[in-house]
Amino acid sequence: MHDLLTSPRVRLRRRGADKHPLILKAARTLIAQSGFREAQMTAIAEAAGIAIGTLYRYFPSRTELLVEVVKFTAQREVDVVAGIAMRDGTACERLGMAAWTFASRALRGRRLAHALVAEPVEPEVEAARLTYHRALSRVFRTIIDQGIANGEFPEQDSAASADCIVGCLFEGLVAPLSSEAALAGVPMQSQVTSIISFCLRGVAGTAVAFIPPA
Amino acid sequence: MHDLLTSPRVRLRRRGADKHPLILKAARTLIAQSGFREAQMTAIAEAAGIAIGTLYRYFPSRTELLVEVVKFTAQREVDVVAGIAMRDGTACERLGMAAWTFASRALRGRRLAHALVAEPVEPEVEAARLTYHRALSRVFRTIIDQGIANGEFPEQDSAASADCIVGCLFEGLVAPLSSEAALAGVPMQSQVTSIISFCLRGVAGTAVAFIPPA
Amino acid sequence: MHDLLTSPRVRLRRRGADKHPLILKAARTLIAQSGFREAQMTAIAEAAGIAIGTLYRYFPSRTELLVEVVKFTAQREVDVVAGIAMRDGTACERLGMAAWTFASRALRGRRLAHALVAEPVEPEVEAARLTYHRALSRVFRTIIDQGIANGEFPEQDSAASADCIVGCLFEGLVAPLSSEAALAGVPMQSQVTSIISFCLRGVAGTAVAFIPPA
Amino acid sequence: MHDLLTSPRVRLRRRGADKHPLILKAARTLIAQSGFREAQMTAIAEAAGIAIGTLYRYFPSRTELLVEVVKFTAQREVDVVAGIAMRDGTACERLGMAAWTFASRALRGRRLAHALVAEPVEPEVEAARLTYHRALSRVFRTIIDQGIANGEFPEQDSAASADCIVGCLFEGLVAPLSSEAALAGVPMQSQVTSIISFCLRGVAGTAVAFIPPA
DNA sequence: CATGAATGAGTGTTCATTCAT
DNA sequence: GATGAATGAACACTCATTCAT
């Protein structure tokens, strides 16, 4: 798969437990609870049960740390979705299942998903988030390309279609993520179903001519 | 149309020009250049050529100011797109044109569009952003409903479809931000065309069955 | 009587109504409601129904204005108490009545009394407050001196005794002024009676020898 | 004794000296020099030779810091006076000595005493100041009650009498602040003697009837 | 003269980062 | 290596005062 985790992590010294994942987990928990804003270095250190100074032994700055949290969490999601994408079945089935899986998981960890999708502050973190979008898009594109190859889907700009699917999923998730009304959770399933149906039509539907104005 | 601008602004000012739009413009320019983060009160005041105190004569707090920037900018875009939506033509044509118009305008001010779509931090600003998404979605939904009514589009969850279109457009705008390559601007038009085609297929395409797993 | 109002008020121009007392009254009302802190120039101007600029035509600064409010209000109280002091009756009776009158009036306008007695911030306002204390003390001293002269009271440092009376009254007023508990108002009368009794004993009581340690 | 210092100060500090008393002392010095008004966080930090941030490690806010200064300083004075109150001797002797001690100490640090007695602005600080008054009053009341019990003093409202003594002492300290003449300091001793004599007469003097008017 | 919009120095507070122990 | 006390730049916001209209 496309690896989001490319930071060398050279500064890690062996001897004793590697606190890297511990810190990452503590930070993710905090972010999942109350967003990036509340994930201050002091809070993260406390949550990880270590001193602030130790934090800086594993991460050069808060920004780096947040970036890594985003990358780490995103990679996991991308991996899961990618796993679905490589199963047996028609491209259509796999596309639906991949989208469904992504949405289901995101809805389970609402606050974290929201942070990963819509909250970022620092440019570096934002960049990591976009990389996440692209990695996810790449998974969908692979399925679409296969579908086009085997005649399931009509000829199309598969990269654009994949981006659209990502956009549909995020928009469909972000909106309810912030509104208290949708917290009921029940209407979620039908909402997700509608979104995926739209995506499938977008990918497999009969071509509609759109001619951009001069 | 759905009015996003509901702040009363009761204070009357008699002498001197109303600095409200001046400040809004200065703030928008700053945000367009480097995002909300850099739009500090000091910077905004300087950009507007006024004193900090004057800022607070027009806006009770930084948050309110940012919210108003989002609302103001968003309302303008929504109005333009809504105007397109009410012209003559088939639902399909109008949907395409509305989407095209939105994308074209947004691409002109990329950084600002991005801020409006993905950057907000404060809950109040976030809320304003979501209102923007929903207002835009409502415009598209109106077109879709008309299309369904006159038989152009098949039966569907028009609200979900409209949300998807918004998601496609936003993702299509945000996505290129991550790839330096696409900054050339030239391939933009074809990219937008592909996205809109996907949306039209999603709305008008033949129904594809997606059955969510148990 | 001793005049507390010595500021020249040269800057007042005739023609039209003299807004001096109007402003003073507005300021006093505000102070009586929520203390000096809330008596901002904007608030005072608004309460007086004039513009801020006009305020500065009558008072050179906020400090001067507050000083004048203190002086003005204090003078009125001193005048009333002094009136009691010059009535017929024994020195003892007049002392009691003067103290009683002062206390009764102060308790009627609780918040204002508190501001005048314990809230001041700026050195200049503080000075005005002290002048108030001294003016009040002078009234009591006059009575005490008369009492000593006609044999009602034993020989004593009348200035110190007068200061003590002022201290007793203020302490007796300030304490309950800030405690919500005493807002019942009923136990006030007996409390005041006890205080005045203490003062009368202090003035008329049999001499007790206090020899300061070396 | 009645403890004015109830703040928990739970934060533990291991390395370096506990800067709590250092900050308190720096703040008290500043207040003693020019009152609460000039005791800004920046000034306090500078006076204590530490950074502003460090201030906030020890005190959550400026208000809390000022409150603690008042409590700390007041508690010390109350403790000293209370110590005198529990020595051997007649109630009269102890009352005189307690008052004398309080006055002598207060006169040594005039400006600070004044701030503690008459300057506070913020409600929280004011509350701390009142607690100080009441604590001091309680000490005097104890002596008075003992004097009444052993027949030294006539029956009386001991709480009111104690408040009066506090009022006399405070007024006696604040009053001279207004007259430049008395700043010489020499006449201070006789002034204090006169005040204490008044108080002793007020407590031990023959009852004088005061009947409040209807 | 009256007006009130404009001013901007000043203040309390936060939090990522450093470095002596 | 781990610690966490110390740091201080940065920021939002207030309000007495001024001066062009």
Short mmCIF file of all heavy atoms in Angstrom, two decimals, chain A residues 27-39 66 69-70 73 106 109-122 125-126 128-130 132-133 170 173-174 177-178, chain B residues 118-121 126 129:
data_model
loop_
_atom_site.label_atom_id
_atom_site.label_comp_id
_atom_site.label_asym_id
_atom_site.label_seq_id
_atom_site.Cartn_x
_atom_site.Cartn_y
_atom_site.Cartn_z
N ALA A 27 -2.17 11.04 22.34
CA ALA A 27 -2.57 12.22 21.56
C ALA A 27 -3.87 11.94 20.81
O ALA A 27 -4.78 12.77 20.80
CB ALA A 27 -1.46 12.59 20.58
N ARG A 28 -3.95 10.77 20.20
CA ARG A 28 -5.16 10.45 19.44
C ARG A 28 -6.38 10.42 20.34
O ARG A 28 -7.46 10.88 19.97
CB ARG A 28 -5.00 9.12 18.71
CG ARG A 28 -5.99 9.01 17.56
CD ARG A 28 -5.83 7.74 16.78
NE ARG A 28 -5.97 6.57 17.62
CZ ARG A 28 -5.18 5.51 17.55
NH1 ARG A 28 -4.19 5.49 16.68
NH2 ARG A 28 -5.36 4.49 18.35
N THR A 29 -6.21 9.87 21.51
CA THR A 29 -7.33 9.82 22.46
C THR A 29 -7.81 11.23 22.80
O THR A 29 -9.00 11.51 22.81
CB THR A 29 -6.89 9.10 23.75
OG1 THR A 29 -6.39 7.81 23.41
CG2 THR A 29 -8.06 8.99 24.72
N LEU A 30 -6.84 12.09 23.07
CA LEU A 30 -7.20 13.48 23.40
C LEU A 30 -7.92 14.15 22.23
O LEU A 30 -8.93 14.83 22.42
CB LEU A 30 -5.95 14.28 23.76
CG LEU A 30 -5.46 14.14 25.19
CD1 LEU A 30 -4.15 14.89 25.37
CD2 LEU A 30 -6.51 14.71 26.14
N ILE A 31 -7.38 13.96 21.04
CA ILE A 31 -7.98 14.57 19.86
C ILE A 31 -9.38 14.02 19.64
O ILE A 31 -10.32 14.75 19.31
CB ILE A 31 -7.10 14.31 18.62
CG1 ILE A 31 -5.77 15.04 18.77
CG2 ILE A 31 -7.82 14.76 17.35
CD1 ILE A 31 -4.73 14.64 17.75
N ALA A 32 -9.51 12.72 19.84
CA ALA A 32 -10.83 12.10 19.66
C ALA A 32 -11.83 12.65 20.66
O ALA A 32 -13.03 12.70 20.40
CB ALA A 32 -10.71 10.59 19.82
N GLN A 33 -11.32 13.06 21.82
CA GLN A 33 -12.23 13.59 22.85
C GLN A 33 -12.62 15.03 22.59
O GLN A 33 -13.77 15.41 22.72
CB GLN A 33 -11.59 13.48 24.23
CG GLN A 33 -11.72 12.10 24.84
CD GLN A 33 -10.82 11.95 26.03
OE1 GLN A 33 -10.13 12.87 26.45
NE2 GLN A 33 -10.80 10.74 26.59
N SER A 34 -11.64 15.84 22.25
CA SER A 34 -11.98 17.26 22.13
C SER A 34 -11.21 18.02 21.06
O SER A 34 -11.05 19.24 21.17
CB SER A 34 -11.82 17.93 23.49
OG SER A 34 -10.85 17.31 24.29
N GLY A 35 -10.75 17.32 20.05
CA GLY A 35 -10.13 18.02 18.94
C GLY A 35 -8.69 18.42 19.14
O GLY A 35 -8.15 18.33 20.23
N PHE A 36 -8.10 18.88 18.05
CA PHE A 36 -6.70 19.29 18.08
C PHE A 36 -6.45 20.39 19.09
O PHE A 36 -5.43 20.41 19.77
CB PHE A 36 -6.28 19.79 16.69
CG PHE A 36 -6.12 18.69 15.70
CD1 PHE A 36 -7.01 18.51 14.68
CD2 PHE A 36 -5.04 17.81 15.79
CE1 PHE A 36 -6.87 17.49 13.76
CE2 PHE A 36 -4.87 16.78 14.87
CZ PHE A 36 -5.79 16.63 13.85
N ARG A 37 -7.37 21.29 19.14
CA ARG A 37 -7.20 22.47 20.00
C ARG A 37 -6.83 22.11 21.42
O ARG A 37 -6.00 22.76 22.06
CB ARG A 37 -8.52 23.27 19.99
CG ARG A 37 -8.37 24.71 20.36
CD ARG A 37 -7.37 25.43 19.47
NE ARG A 37 -7.40 26.86 19.67
CZ ARG A 37 -7.74 27.73 18.73
NH1 ARG A 37 -8.02 27.32 17.53
NH2 ARG A 37 -7.75 29.03 18.98
N GLU A 38 -7.49 21.10 21.95
CA GLU A 38 -7.27 20.72 23.35
C GLU A 38 -6.07 19.79 23.54
O GLU A 38 -5.70 19.48 24.66
CB GLU A 38 -8.52 20.04 23.90
CG GLU A 38 -9.76 20.90 23.89
CD GLU A 38 -9.57 22.18 24.68
OE1 GLU A 38 -9.20 22.09 25.86
OE2 GLU A 38 -9.76 23.28 24.10
N ALA A 39 -5.51 19.35 22.44
CA ALA A 39 -4.37 18.44 22.54
C ALA A 39 -3.08 19.23 22.74
O ALA A 39 -2.26 19.35 21.85
CB ALA A 39 -4.30 17.57 21.30
N LEU A 66 1.37 16.10 15.82
CA LEU A 66 0.01 16.06 15.28
C LEU A 66 0.00 15.46 13.88
O LEU A 66 -0.88 14.68 13.53
CB LEU A 66 -0.59 17.47 15.27
CG LEU A 66 -0.79 18.12 16.64
CD1 LEU A 66 -1.53 19.44 16.51
CD2 LEU A 66 -1.54 17.19 17.58
N VAL A 69 0.17 11.85 14.15
CA VAL A 69 -1.10 11.28 14.60
C VAL A 69 -2.04 11.13 13.40
O VAL A 69 -2.66 10.08 13.21
CB VAL A 69 -1.78 12.16 15.67
CG1 VAL A 69 -3.20 11.69 15.92
CG2 VAL A 69 -0.99 12.13 16.96
N VAL A 70 -2.11 12.18 12.61
CA VAL A 70 -2.98 12.14 11.44
C VAL A 70 -2.53 11.04 10.49
O VAL A 70 -3.33 10.21 10.05
CB VAL A 70 -2.98 13.50 10.71
CG1 VAL A 70 -3.73 13.41 9.39
CG2 VAL A 70 -3.62 14.56 11.59
N THR A 73 -3.18 7.48 12.07
CA THR A 73 -4.59 7.12 12.08
C THR A 73 -5.12 6.93 10.67
O THR A 73 -5.84 5.96 10.39
CB THR A 73 -5.40 8.22 12.78
OG1 THR A 73 -4.82 8.48 14.05
CG2 THR A 73 -6.85 7.80 12.97
N ALA A 106 -15.75 5.49 10.33
CA ALA A 106 -15.65 6.92 10.65
C ALA A 106 -16.75 7.34 11.60
O ALA A 106 -16.54 8.11 12.53
CB ALA A 106 -15.72 7.75 9.37
N GLY A 109 -16.09 6.55 15.37
CA GLY A 109 -15.25 7.49 16.10
C GLY A 109 -15.47 8.90 15.59
O GLY A 109 -14.62 9.50 14.96
N ARG A 110 -16.66 9.37 15.85
CA ARG A 110 -17.12 10.66 15.34
C ARG A 110 -16.16 11.83 15.50
O ARG A 110 -15.76 12.49 14.54
CB ARG A 110 -18.42 11.04 16.04
CG ARG A 110 -19.56 10.17 15.70
CD ARG A 110 -20.24 10.70 14.47
NE ARG A 110 -21.42 11.44 14.85
CZ ARG A 110 -22.63 10.91 14.89
NH1 ARG A 110 -22.81 9.68 14.54
NH2 ARG A 110 -23.66 11.65 15.25
N ARG A 111 -15.83 12.11 16.74
CA ARG A 111 -15.01 13.29 17.01
C ARG A 111 -13.66 13.22 16.31
O ARG A 111 -13.17 14.21 15.76
CB ARG A 111 -14.81 13.42 18.53
CG ARG A 111 -14.20 14.73 18.97
CD ARG A 111 -15.16 15.88 18.65
NE ARG A 111 -14.58 17.20 18.91
CZ ARG A 111 -13.67 17.78 18.14
NH1 ARG A 111 -13.23 17.17 17.07
NH2 ARG A 111 -13.21 18.99 18.43
N LEU A 112 -13.05 12.06 16.34
CA LEU A 112 -11.75 11.89 15.71
C LEU A 112 -11.87 12.06 14.20
O LEU A 112 -11.07 12.75 13.57
CB LEU A 112 -11.19 10.50 16.03
CG LEU A 112 -9.81 10.19 15.47
CD1 LEU A 112 -8.79 11.21 15.96
CD2 LEU A 112 -9.36 8.80 15.89
N ALA A 113 -12.91 11.47 13.64
CA ALA A 113 -13.12 11.59 12.20
C ALA A 113 -13.29 13.06 11.82
O ALA A 113 -12.72 13.53 10.84
CB ALA A 113 -14.37 10.81 11.79
N HIS A 114 -14.02 13.75 12.63
CA HIS A 114 -14.25 15.16 12.36
C HIS A 114 -12.94 15.93 12.38
O HIS A 114 -12.66 16.76 11.51
CB HIS A 114 -15.21 15.75 13.38
CG HIS A 114 -15.42 17.21 13.21
ND1 HIS A 114 -14.93 18.13 14.10
CD2 HIS A 114 -16.02 17.91 12.22
CE1 HIS A 114 -15.25 19.35 13.67
NE2 HIS A 114 -15.91 19.24 12.55
N ALA A 115 -12.12 15.66 13.36
CA ALA A 115 -10.84 16.32 13.48
C ALA A 115 -9.98 16.02 12.25
O ALA A 115 -9.35 16.91 11.68
CB ALA A 115 -10.13 15.88 14.75
N LEU A 116 -10.02 14.77 11.85
CA LEU A 116 -9.19 14.36 10.71
C LEU A 116 -9.70 14.93 9.39
O LEU A 116 -8.96 15.10 8.45
CB LEU A 116 -9.17 12.83 10.61
CG LEU A 116 -8.33 12.14 11.65
CD1 LEU A 116 -8.39 10.64 11.48
CD2 LEU A 116 -6.89 12.62 11.57
N VAL A 117 -10.98 15.22 9.36
CA VAL A 117 -11.58 15.66 8.12
C VAL A 117 -11.74 17.17 8.02
O VAL A 117 -11.56 17.76 6.97
CB VAL A 117 -12.96 14.98 7.93
CG1 VAL A 117 -13.78 15.68 6.87
CG2 VAL A 117 -12.76 13.52 7.60
N ALA A 118 -12.04 17.81 9.15
CA ALA A 118 -12.40 19.22 9.02
C ALA A 118 -11.77 20.18 9.99
O ALA A 118 -11.95 21.38 9.84
CB ALA A 118 -13.92 19.34 9.12
N GLU A 119 -11.03 19.71 10.96
CA GLU A 119 -10.56 20.67 11.96
C GLU A 119 -9.17 21.26 11.79
O GLU A 119 -8.88 22.31 12.34
CB GLU A 119 -10.65 20.04 13.36
CG GLU A 119 -10.60 21.08 14.45
CD GLU A 119 -10.16 20.48 15.76
OE1 GLU A 119 -10.43 19.29 15.97
OE2 GLU A 119 -9.53 21.18 16.56
N PRO A 120 -8.30 20.64 11.07
CA PRO A 120 -6.89 21.04 11.06
C PRO A 120 -6.61 22.52 11.08
O PRO A 120 -7.37 23.32 10.56
CB PRO A 120 -6.38 20.41 9.78
CG PRO A 120 -7.21 19.22 9.62
CD PRO A 120 -8.57 19.61 10.12
N VAL A 121 -5.51 22.85 11.68
CA VAL A 121 -5.16 24.24 11.86
C VAL A 121 -3.86 24.58 11.15
O VAL A 121 -3.80 25.44 10.30
CB VAL A 121 -4.98 24.54 13.36
CG1 VAL A 121 -4.70 26.01 13.56
CG2 VAL A 121 -6.21 24.10 14.11
N GLU A 122 -2.82 23.90 11.52
CA GLU A 122 -1.52 24.21 10.97
C GLU A 122 -1.36 23.65 9.56
O GLU A 122 -1.85 22.56 9.25
CB GLU A 122 -0.45 23.59 11.86
CG GLU A 122 -0.76 23.75 13.32
CD GLU A 122 0.49 23.95 14.12
OE1 GLU A 122 1.43 24.55 13.59
OE2 GLU A 122 0.52 23.51 15.27
N VAL A 125 -0.20 20.07 9.27
CA VAL A 125 -1.21 19.07 9.61
C VAL A 125 -2.22 18.97 8.48
O VAL A 125 -2.66 17.88 8.10
CB VAL A 125 -1.93 19.46 10.93
CG1 VAL A 125 -2.97 18.41 11.29
CG2 VAL A 125 -0.91 19.61 12.04
N GLU A 126 -2.55 20.10 7.94
CA GLU A 126 -3.47 20.16 6.80
C GLU A 126 -2.92 19.31 5.65
O GLU A 126 -3.65 18.54 5.02
CB GLU A 126 -3.59 21.62 6.36
CG GLU A 126 -4.45 21.85 5.15
CD GLU A 126 -5.93 21.63 5.47
OE1 GLU A 126 -6.28 21.65 6.66
OE2 GLU A 126 -6.70 21.41 4.53
N ALA A 128 -0.96 16.80 5.85
CA ALA A 128 -1.08 15.38 6.19
C ALA A 128 -2.50 14.90 5.92
O ALA A 128 -2.73 13.79 5.44
CB ALA A 128 -0.72 15.17 7.65
N ARG A 129 -3.45 15.76 6.24
CA ARG A 129 -4.85 15.43 6.01
C ARG A 129 -5.12 15.22 4.51
O ARG A 129 -5.80 14.28 4.10
CB ARG A 129 -5.74 16.54 6.55
CG ARG A 129 -7.22 16.21 6.52
CD ARG A 129 -8.00 17.27 7.24
NE ARG A 129 -8.16 18.46 6.43
CZ ARG A 129 -9.07 18.60 5.47
NH1 ARG A 129 -9.89 17.60 5.20
NH2 ARG A 129 -9.17 19.70 4.77
N LEU A 130 -4.56 16.10 3.71
CA LEU A 130 -4.76 15.98 2.26
C LEU A 130 -4.13 14.71 1.73
O LEU A 130 -4.67 14.06 0.84
CB LEU A 130 -4.17 17.21 1.56
CG LEU A 130 -5.01 18.47 1.75
CD1 LEU A 130 -4.31 19.68 1.16
CD2 LEU A 130 -6.38 18.30 1.11
N TYR A 132 -3.97 12.04 3.25
CA TYR A 132 -4.96 11.04 3.64
C TYR A 132 -6.06 10.96 2.58
O TYR A 132 -6.39 9.86 2.08
CB TYR A 132 -5.52 11.42 5.01
CG TYR A 132 -6.67 10.62 5.52
CD1 TYR A 132 -6.82 9.26 5.24
CD2 TYR A 132 -7.62 11.22 6.35
CE1 TYR A 132 -7.88 8.53 5.76
CE2 TYR A 132 -8.67 10.51 6.88
CZ TYR A 132 -8.81 9.16 6.57
OH TYR A 132 -9.86 8.46 7.08
N HIS A 133 -6.56 12.10 2.21
CA HIS A 133 -7.59 12.13 1.18
C HIS A 133 -7.10 11.43 -0.09
O HIS A 133 -7.79 10.62 -0.68
CB HIS A 133 -7.95 13.59 0.84
CG HIS A 133 -8.81 14.26 1.84
ND1 HIS A 133 -9.83 15.10 1.49
CD2 HIS A 133 -8.81 14.22 3.18
CE1 HIS A 133 -10.41 15.56 2.59
NE2 HIS A 133 -9.80 15.04 3.62
N PHE A 170 -16.80 12.28 2.77
CA PHE A 170 -16.43 13.25 3.79
C PHE A 170 -17.56 14.24 4.04
O PHE A 170 -17.90 14.54 5.18
CB PHE A 170 -15.15 13.99 3.38
CG PHE A 170 -13.91 13.18 3.64
CD1 PHE A 170 -12.66 13.60 3.20
CD2 PHE A 170 -13.98 11.98 4.35
CE1 PHE A 170 -11.51 12.85 3.45
CE2 PHE A 170 -12.84 11.22 4.59
CZ PHE A 170 -11.60 11.65 4.14
N LEU A 173 -20.15 12.80 5.95
CA LEU A 173 -19.80 12.51 7.34
C LEU A 173 -19.65 13.77 8.18
O LEU A 173 -20.06 13.82 9.34
CB LEU A 173 -18.46 11.76 7.39
CG LEU A 173 -18.48 10.36 6.83
CD1 LEU A 173 -17.08 9.79 6.82
CD2 LEU A 173 -19.42 9.48 7.66
N VAL A 174 -19.04 14.78 7.58
CA VAL A 174 -18.77 16.01 8.31
C VAL A 174 -20.06 16.71 8.73
O VAL A 174 -20.20 17.14 9.88
CB VAL A 174 -17.91 16.97 7.47
CG1 VAL A 174 -17.82 18.33 8.15
CG2 VAL A 174 -16.53 16.37 7.28
N LEU A 177 -21.62 15.19 11.58
CA LEU A 177 -20.68 15.16 12.70
C LEU A 177 -20.81 16.39 13.59
O LEU A 177 -20.54 16.34 14.79
CB LEU A 177 -19.25 15.10 12.15
CG LEU A 177 -18.50 13.80 12.41
CD1 LEU A 177 -19.43 12.62 12.27
CD2 LEU A 177 -17.32 13.65 11.50
N SER A 178 -21.21 17.49 12.99
CA SER A 178 -21.27 18.73 13.77
C SER A 178 -22.67 19.07 14.24
O SER A 178 -22.87 19.92 15.09
CB SER A 178 -20.73 19.89 12.93
OG SER A 178 -19.52 19.53 12.34
N ALA B 118 -12.28 24.00 4.51
CA ALA B 118 -11.63 23.01 5.35
C ALA B 118 -10.81 23.49 6.53
O ALA B 118 -10.31 22.69 7.30
CB ALA B 118 -10.73 22.14 4.46
N GLU B 119 -10.64 24.80 6.70
CA GLU B 119 -9.70 25.21 7.72
C GLU B 119 -10.23 25.58 9.11
O GLU B 119 -9.52 25.48 10.09
CB GLU B 119 -8.87 26.38 7.20
CG GLU B 119 -7.62 26.59 8.05
CD GLU B 119 -7.08 27.98 7.86
OE1 GLU B 119 -7.29 28.56 6.80
OE2 GLU B 119 -6.46 28.50 8.81
N PRO B 120 -11.43 26.02 9.22
CA PRO B 120 -11.90 26.61 10.48
C PRO B 120 -11.52 25.87 11.75
O PRO B 120 -11.37 24.65 11.76
CB PRO B 120 -13.41 26.62 10.30
CG PRO B 120 -13.58 26.76 8.86
CD PRO B 120 -12.46 25.96 8.24
N VAL B 121 -11.38 26.63 12.80
CA VAL B 121 -10.96 26.08 14.06
C VAL B 121 -12.02 26.28 15.13
O VAL B 121 -12.44 25.35 15.78
CB VAL B 121 -9.66 26.77 14.53
CG1 VAL B 121 -9.19 26.16 15.82
CG2 VAL B 121 -8.62 26.68 13.44
N GLU B 126 -16.79 27.25 12.47
CA GLU B 126 -17.12 25.96 11.90
C GLU B 126 -18.62 25.90 11.60
O GLU B 126 -19.03 25.43 10.53
CB GLU B 126 -16.76 24.87 12.93
CG GLU B 126 -17.15 23.47 12.54
CD GLU B 126 -16.23 22.90 11.47
OE1 GLU B 126 -15.14 23.46 11.27
OE2 GLU B 126 -16.61 21.91 10.83
N ARG B 129 -19.42 27.80 8.58
CA ARG B 129 -18.99 27.06 7.40
C ARG B 129 -20.02 25.99 7.02
O ARG B 129 -20.36 25.81 5.84
CB ARG B 129 -17.64 26.41 7.69
CG ARG B 129 -16.98 25.76 6.48
CD ARG B 129 -15.59 25.30 6.82
NE ARG B 129 -15.62 24.09 7.62
CZ ARG B 129 -15.77 22.86 7.12
NH1 ARG B 129 -15.92 22.69 5.83
NH2 ARG B 129 -15.78 21.83 7.91
#
